[in-house]
Amino acid sequence: MHERIDITTEYITLGQLLKLANVFESGGVIKQFLQEQGVLVNGEREKRRGRKIYPNDIVEFEDGLKIQVTKK
């Protein structure tokens, strides 16, 4: 599954992106998930909620979900 999220700013943090994409119920769940498992950002493992995600970056989950950030 491939989802696109449009942003109007220069970047969005990983935590904000996951909340905006409605992947998790709350910020606490996002924090716990990233600490325990993390995601791939452009193919590299990432566990920081504050990681800056820019347009054209791709965030991937182990279950196959991919989120691409685009500039609006």
Side-chain angles (χ1 to χ4, degrees), residues 15-38:
Q16 290 171 331
L17 175 68
L18 297 180
K19 199 170 202 176
L20 184 64
N22 290 320
V23 176
F24 297 100
E25 301 174 6
S26 69
V29 175
I30 291 170
K31 180 179 179 179
Q32 183 178 359
F33 175 81
L34 289 174
Q35 286 177 343
E36 292 175 2
Q37 292 186 351

Side-chain angles (χ1 to χ4, degrees), residues 12-14 20 42 49 65 67:
I12 188 170
T13 65
L14 180 56
L20 184 64
N42 300 325
R49 285 184 301 159
L65 172 65
I67 301 172

